[in-house]
Amino acid sequence: MHKNHNKQKILIVDDTKINLAILTDVLKDDYVVVTANSGEQALDIIFSDTLPDIILLDVVMTGISGYDVCKKLKDTPLTKNIPIIFITGKISVEDETYGFKLGAVDYISKPFSPVIVKARVNTHAELKKHRDYLESISYLDGLTGVFNRRKFDEYLWEQLNYCFNTNRKLSLMIFDIDHFKAYNDLYGHEEGDQCLKKIASMTSEYTCEKKGLLARYGGEEFASIFVGDSNEEVFEIAENIRKKIYDSKIPNENSLVEPFVTVSIGIASVIPTQETSCKSMIESADKQLYLAKKTGRNKICMI
């Protein structure tokens, strides 16, 4: 189990069992291999589990063709960057051109040559590692080291669709440092930056433990996203965050709440419907945050 932790995941899609068996045997030592025997099954796997790093996709299958699967994946923001290598037994220049136009990165011809299969998959797997690394850097907030607004926006969209498709609860928490302008006015912006770093550090580890995402939403605001937790569980997480910051007793003598740093928290928690959008989730959480501030700060309001 631990041995597979750092292995990349390959999804092989082919409606012929022998082809699945051959490709699995070639790749299983170097990758975590998952198989699907139809385009429909492949889409179910992709949208209900952790995303594969690379997809080997048969062109001609019963039901949804490989081309149609590729088109759907490339039209979906969540999956558009997954490298797709087409598998085919018969290829013309026109077919190859069409596949590349759809977004495929390569072709593997039948009958399979284990050496060619390994070489092509390894090449694209390495490229995917480098792209993932560069992308991970672009998703981090430069000051605090937690995720940035770009990552937040993408993750919220992904999880909203995931929760809609699986009928699970999605919770968005936005918390804001109370009277942070007063903090900066008294202690200076450099100390303000240090305060933001402390808040990010003490909450990110706890958020990760609870399998949530923490992002710097903007200025002195942070946001967390949780999937599947009940209202009671999410409220408890929020209360622990509020209390953790409260108990840290970071001085803020100009605050009108306490002589140290506190936060107000707003939470929106729903099972998404077709009417639910990222915008509506953010607006709902923002309204609860506004209510928490309006009714005294250093508290949690939830809908």
Side-chain angles (χ1 to χ4, degrees):
M1 190 84 173
H2 178 71
K3 190 180 177 182
N4 288 340
H5 182 69
N6 293 320
K7 285 186 177 182
Q8 290 171 288
K9 180 178 175 182
I10 307 287
L11 172 62
I12 306 172
V13 190
D14 198 304
D15 60 358
T16 305
K17 286 184 179 180
I18 187 65
N19 290 336
L20 291 176
I22 292 170
L23 290 170
T24 298
D25 191 57
V26 170
L27 298 170
K28 67 183 181 182
D29 290 339
D30 300 314
Y31 303 95
V32 174
V33 177
V34 179
T35 62
N37 57 24
S38 69
E40 292 88 345
Q41 187 183 23
L43 292 173
D44 286 342
I45 290 171
I46 291 165
F47 290 110
S48 64
D49 200 355
T50 55
L51 294 177
D53 292 289
I54 293 178
I55 299 172
L56 272 58
L57 181 59
D58 191 19
V59 173
V60 180
M61 295 183 289
T62 304
I64 303 175
S65 73
Y67 288 144
D68 289 336
V69 172
C70 180
K71 189 173 187 308
K72 181 173 179 59
L73 295 177
K74 294 302 174 183
D75 286 343
T76 304
L78 176 63
T79 55
K80 69 179 181 180
N81 293 324
I82 301 174
I84 294 174
I85 301 174
F86 276 129
I87 305 167
T88 183
K90 189 177 178 182
I91 187 168
S92 66
V93 173
E94 291 78 16
D95 290 332
E96 196 169 357
T97 301
Y98 181 65
F100 285 132
K101 280 184 178 178
L102 286 178
V105 296
D106 210 340
Y107 273 86
I108 293 175
S109 299
K110 303 173 187 177
F112 303 119
S113 161
V115 174
I116 296 297
V117 170
K118 273 192 173 185
R120 294 194 172 176
V121 171
N122 288 348
T123 295
H124 292 293
E126 280 302 311
L127 288 171
K128 178 69 163 49
K129 276 184 185 176
H130 290 301
R131 282 197 300 272
D132 287 350
Y133 172 71
L134 292 173
E135 188 175 76
S136 69
I137 294 174
S138 73
Y139 280 143
L140 297 180
D141 175 59
L143 175 66
T144 62
V146 299
F147 288 117
N148 57 20
R149 180 65 183 269
R150 178 189 170 201
K151 177 64 176 180
F152 167 82
D153 288 339
E154 289 188 17
Y155 189 77
L156 179 60
W157 187 91
E158 291 168 6
Q159 298 310 312
L160 180 63
N161 282 275
Y162 171 71
C163 289
F164 173 73
N165 290 324
T166 57
N167 199 39
R168 300 186 75 188
K169 180 159 282 190
L170 178 66
S171 299
L172 169 59
M173 177 191 308
I174 300 178
F175 60 97
D176 182 276
I177 301 175
D178 296 321
H179 300 298
F180 190 64
K181 184 181 182 304
Y183 186 99
N184 279 330
D185 289 344
L186 179 61
Y187 302 105
H189 288 279
E190 189 172 334
E191 280 300 314
D193 287 348
Q194 293 304 314
C195 177
L196 290 171
K197 288 180 182 179
K198 289 175 185 176
I199 298 296
S201 177
M202 72 177 70
T203 55
S204 62
E205 187 177 345
Y206 177 72
T207 303
C208 287
E209 283 176 8
K210 299 301 179 180
K211 299 182 179 178
L213 175 135
L214 176 70
R216 187 180 176 195
Y217 188 68
E220 66 270 25
E221 282 189 331
F222 294 85
S224 291
I225 298 168
F226 298 91
V227 172
D229 298 285
S230 67
N231 284 13
E232 292 76 17
E233 288 170 325
V234 173
F235 191 90
E236 184 180 352
I237 291 170
E239 174 56 18
N240 284 334
I241 287 173
R242 187 203 65 78
K243 190 172 185 302
K244 195 177 185 74
I245 294 167
Y246 183 91
D247 290 344
S248 68
K249 298 291 190 292
I250 301 170
N252 186 8
E253 293 175 22
N254 276 0
S255 172
L256 300 177
V257 183
E258 298 280 356
F260 38 81
V261 169
T262 59
V263 294
S264 298
I265 302 176
I267 306 170
S269 189
V270 299
I271 296 176
T273 65
Q274 286 186 330
E275 287 70 41
T276 311
S277 66
C278 293
K279 184 180 178 183
S280 68
M281 287 286 297
I282 293 168
E283 287 176 348
S284 295
D286 262 334
K287 284 179 182 176
Q288 295 305 304
L289 175 60
Y290 175 76
L291 185 60
K293 286 183 170 292
K294 188 179 178 182
T295 56
R297 302 178 189 257
N298 187 32
K299 65 186 297 187
I300 303 160
C301 288
M302 181 176 187
I303 187 172

